[in-house]
Amino acid sequence: MIKHLILPFSMIAMLLGGCVYEPIHQGNRLKIGKIMQIQEGDTKFSVEQALGTPALDHVLQANRVVYFEQYEDEESGDMIKRGVEITYDDALRVKTIHRFGFENEE
């Protein structure tokens, strides 16, 4: 009896599971407020406390990191790509900051 019920319930579960839509999100989850808090002279530790682990570490440029995210905008359906590239000096303090993709949010 139980064998006859397992197949229909598993089919229903698979059908209902396909109805859930989860937008694709790759990379870091960046918040504009935290990105704008990062200033030249901040320590690498304080940056990682605010933003987490960078999505990209450069092997050839050890003092350069990139925080990056790509996701589908739920309203427009467009793929949004944005991030921040940070270069540290030898004392591991922020030397340069390049923000991209945040132009419409400032």
Side-chain angles (χ1 to χ4, degrees):
M1 177 73 178
I2 293 177
K3 289 182 182 180
H4 299 290
L5 294 175
I6 292 175
L7 183 60
F9 282 120
S10 62
M11 299 269 294
I12 290 171
M14 288 187 336
L15 289 173
L16 291 176
C19 295
V20 177
Y21 173 73
E22 181 68 29
I24 296 172
H25 191 113
Q26 295 179 336
N28 303 100
R29 293 208 183 253
L30 303 175
K31 300 207 185 296
I32 186 71
K34 289 187 178 189
I35 293 296
M36 298 314 284
Q37 286 178 354
I38 305 301
Q39 301 296 323
E40 290 182 14
D42 288 349
T43 63
K44 183 175 183 179
F45 178 78
S46 67
V47 171
E48 288 184 355
Q49 286 292 308
L51 303 179
T53 304
L56 300 171
D57 280 324
H58 291 271
V59 176
L60 298 177
Q61 297 175 343
N63 289 345
R64 182 175 168 234
V65 296
V66 177
Y67 292 87
F68 179 80
E69 74 175 335
Q70 178 177 328
Y71 63 95
E72 183 179 348
D73 184 25
E74 293 179 19
E75 294 177 13
S76 67
D78 295 337
M79 288 303 287
I80 307 295
K81 297 176 185 178
R82 62 188 190 173
V84 60
E85 180 181 322
I86 300 172
T87 305
Y88 297 103
D89 61 15
D90 292 334
L92 297 180
R93 294 197 171 270
V94 175
K95 182 177 179 182
T96 62
I97 306 166
H98 172 70
R99 298 173 183 93
F100 55 93
F102 293 98
E103 294 80 18
N104 297 333
E105 297 186 36
E106 294 182 33

